[in-house]
Amino acid sequence: MRNYIQRGENLTVAAPYAVTSGAGVLLGAIFGVAAEDAASGATVDIATFGVFTLPKATGALSVGDALFWDNTAKVVTKTATGNTRIGVAVETAASGDATAAVRLNGSF
């Protein structure tokens, strides 16, 4: 196929804000995890598939829960309203846990 570009599991994008390695990056409907630190506007590689530990909002999670990215607080949440769907929980997490194991599903 002459029109094939790449698998899309990793993308190089302009950082919409300063990010650190392992931080969530949201560009429109594209969500990924930064592979390195980057200043706002600098290029950064993001992983759009895989399982990652990400910071989470207060609230318990069960395996299979749909998860969303709160781009204001920069955390994973079960709240869909005003947030972008990014994947599913792959481990349970208690309400007070600071992180969640998330399987990214690429753009929905």
Side-chain angles (χ1 to χ4, degrees):
M1 290 179 285
R2 296 189 318 177
N3 59 339
Y4 178 82
I5 297 173
Q6 65 170 321
R7 290 178 56 115
E9 294 170 350
N10 297 294
L11 300 174
T12 302
V13 299
Y17 37 79
V19 296
T20 58
S21 178
V25 176
L26 182 65
L27 287 152
I30 299 172
F31 180 83
V33 175
E36 65 267 343
D37 297 349
S40 179
T43 58
V44 62
D45 291 329
I46 61 170
T48 60
F49 288 92
V51 178
F52 296 88
T53 300
L54 294 171
K56 78 169 204 49
T58 301
L61 300 178
S62 296
V63 173
D65 282 347
L67 297 177
F68 303 82
W69 184 251
D70 176 339
N71 203 44
T72 301
K74 306 289 190 269
V75 295
V76 172
T77 179
K78 289 195 321 184
T79 303
T81 305
N83 298 312
T84 302
R85 185 165 180 188
I86 63 167
V88 296
V90 295
E91 295 177 357
T92 60
S95 181
D97 289 349
T99 61
V102 182
R103 181 188 185 277
L104 301 182
N105 289 338
S107 297
F108 286 86

